[in-house]
Amino acid sequence: MAEYVLMIALSPTMDTGTISSWEKKEGDRIESGDLLCQVETDKATMDYESIQEGILLKILVGEGEQAQVGSPIAIVGEKDEDISDLLSDVDTRVVEEENEEDNKIENTASFSTPISTQERSEGDRIIASPLARRMAEERGLNLALIQGSGPRGRIIKRDIVKAENMVHTPSYTPASMSSAPPPGDEIIPVTTKRKIIAQRLAESKYSAPHYYLRLRVRTDDFMKARKALNQTLRESVSVNAFIVKFVAEALKRHPIVNSTWQGDTILRHSSIDIGLAVAQDDGLITPVVRDCGNKGIIEIDKELKELIDKALNNKLTPEEYSGATFTISNLGSFGIEEFTAIINPPGSAILAVGKIVQEPVVGDGNTIEIKSLMTMTLSCDHRVIDGAVGAAFLKDLKDIIEDPIRA
């Protein structure tokens, strides 16, 4: 019997997924465990392995299109099976979901004329949802110039919002909304990952009261220790591995920094799980080294290298990039000397690390010495970490870096 293939949550925070590619085509036989398609989630592109068996009768969500978790993306069944009822039900679901979204926002107006979804227009009438019509009227937008993205080209709320944004862009006029951009301009589609990054960082920035602590650290002894270790091992242990370990030691002394705000409670984590921000072509991802407080630098370095390689090849699993209790962002390799970073939930702090630079410093006896200095900026969530607590943590971290042997 024919049935839907539903979009499933391939990451803990996934609400929608974008089909990157279909690995099976209509008419193919599918067995349980077969790779059905590639889905772009909020963090990475994941394999969707089928849990159903049968013939792939119909693909409902094409490559590059989005689907909500729990919504149909395909139909499987027996060869030549009649699926007209399922296809009709899909159209009905889409319309009902759109009307439900309209009604949540617009519950004061009533429209007696039903809107058909069979065509983009019927005669001279434009097909649009009730809310879209009212929004267009209030904003003075001509529905005839707006391309609908709903079922059968129906104009819906998001199309009005998009059109309004274009109207208020200086280089565009209402008459040019359906035309190509000016020569030389490029329209870049926003990926699911980029949308989620924008949403989550905006939520973090405006819901968590950030404050910032900054100091400079002498790294001469730290770099000597790293050089000695590398010579002993005959391989290179990364600077990031040392910083992760140093942060873990400081968090042991200040466990409240390793906590999460939960509204009515604060969750103090028993495990120190440190994430390191890694740049990808379409955004950032934060692979996480678990239980850093009970691991040595060499073990941390090995895990970091494996995780970074997976991150750069878009192969991280949700367990490998979610749930960091503290995050580090190091832009020193780009020549950045100092910067501030936005807290990465569920953590309550993030450490921004800059480039190591050589500078003259006044030493003992008022002598001038050349020292290696690194600027660190700690962003804290004031709901969890008081100023004095954040300052004490950063001071202890400075002491550990400046004298790693004694620490």
Side-chain angles (χ1 to χ4, degrees), residues 47 78 87 133 178 229 353 362 368 377 402:
D47 293 340
E78 297 304 319
L87 290 173
R133 287 180 178 277
S178 60
L229 181 61
V353 179
V362 178
I368 302 297
T377 305
E402 293 187 339

Side-chain angles (χ1 to χ4, degrees), residues 154-173:
R154 184 174 188 244
I155 298 172
I156 55 179
K157 173 193 169 187
R158 64 170 172 261
D159 302 318
I160 302 298
V161 173
K162 180 180 178 181
E164 184 182 24
N165 290 338
M166 294 177 72
V167 168
H168 290 98
T169 300
S171 61
Y172 288 88
T173 63

Side-chain angles (χ1 to χ4, degrees), residues 18-22 61-66:
T18 301
I19 304 294
S20 297
S21 64
W22 281 98
V61 180
E63 294 182 356
E65 295 180 347
Q66 271 191 353

Side-chain angles (χ1 to χ4, degrees), residues 108-122:
T108 58
S110 61
F111 295 81
S112 58
T113 304
I115 302 299
S116 170
T117 62
Q118 296 305 308
E119 298 177 338
R120 170 66 175 86
S121 63
E122 296 174 351

Side-chain angles (χ1 to χ4, degrees), residues 305-316 320:
K305 288 175 179 175
E306 293 174 354
L307 289 168
I308 291 172
D309 182 67
K310 284 186 176 182
L312 295 177
N313 289 285
N314 219 16
K315 296 296 183 183
L316 287 174
E320 291 172 324

Side-chain angles (χ1 to χ4, degrees), residues 25-252:
K25 61 181 182 295
E26 291 182 3
D28 283 354
R29 178 79 190 176
I30 300 171
E31 303 293 340
S32 179
D34 284 355
L35 178 58
L36 187 61
C37 59
Q38 298 276 343
V39 177
E40 181 188 338
T41 72
D42 53 341
K43 292 291 188 180
T45 300
M46 309 289 293
D47 293 340
Y48 186 128
E49 295 183 356
S50 176
I51 59 174
Q52 294 154 295
E53 296 183 352
I55 303 298
L56 181 58
L57 298 175
K58 184 68 176 176
I59 291 174
L60 302 174
V61 180
E63 294 182 356
E65 295 180 347
Q66 271 191 353
Q68 293 279 341
V69 171
S71 64
I73 61 172
I75 298 175
V76 297
E78 297 304 319
K79 186 176 181 180
D80 298 327
E81 187 173 355
D82 182 13
I83 59 172
S84 56
D85 288 345
L86 291 178
L87 290 173
S88 176
D89 188 48
V90 168
D91 286 341
T92 302
R93 284 189 186 199
V94 172
V95 175
E96 287 177 349
E97 288 171 4
E98 187 60 44
N99 286 336
E100 183 179 347
E101 180 185 354
D102 287 354
N103 291 335
K104 286 180 181 177
I105 303 171
E106 172 64 271
N107 54 18
T108 58
S110 61
F111 295 81
S112 58
T113 304
I115 302 299
S116 170
T117 62
Q118 296 305 308
E119 298 177 338
R120 170 66 175 86
S121 63
E122 296 174 351
D124 294 328
R125 188 163 68 88
I126 302 299
I127 305 305
S129 73
L131 176 60
R133 287 180 178 277
R134 179 170 178 179
M135 290 176 66
E137 183 179 355
E138 290 174 348
R139 290 158 175 76
L141 298 175
N142 186 348
L143 288 174
L145 298 175
I146 299 174
Q147 179 64 47
S149 61
R152 308 298 188 269
R154 184 174 188 244
I155 298 172
I156 55 179
K157 173 193 169 187
R158 64 170 172 261
D159 302 318
I160 302 298
V161 173
K162 180 180 178 181
E164 184 182 24
N165 290 338
M166 294 177 72
V167 168
H168 290 98
T169 300
S171 61
Y172 288 88
T173 63
S176 69
M177 287 193 295
S178 60
S179 63
D185 287 5
E186 179 184 5
I187 296 176
I188 302 174
V190 178
T191 63
T192 302
K193 183 189 297 184
R194 174 58 63 185
K195 287 179 182 177
I196 298 298
I197 289 172
Q199 175 188 335
R200 297 235 169 94
L201 290 182
E203 288 175 356
S204 173
K205 179 67 175 178
Y206 295 111
S207 65
H210 286 52
Y211 70 90
Y212 308 96
L213 302 171
R214 181 180 293 107
L215 51 70
R216 307 185 79 193
V217 182
R218 297 186 184 186
T219 61
D220 299 271
D221 290 343
F222 151 42
M223 296 305 290
K224 286 178 184 177
R226 175 174 177 257
K227 182 178 179 180
L229 181 61
N230 288 344
Q231 289 176 341
T232 301
L233 298 175
R234 295 185 179 180
E235 63 181 77
S236 179
V237 177
S238 69
V239 170
N240 284 326
F242 276 85
I243 294 174
V244 167
K245 183 56 181 175
F246 294 154
V247 167
E249 292 302 312
L251 287 173
K252 287 181 183 179

Side-chain angles (χ1 to χ4, degrees), residues 248-263:
E249 292 302 312
L251 287 173
K252 287 181 183 179
R253 303 179 189 182
H254 304 275
I256 192 62
V257 180
N258 194 52
S259 301
T260 296
W261 175 260
Q262 295 189 316

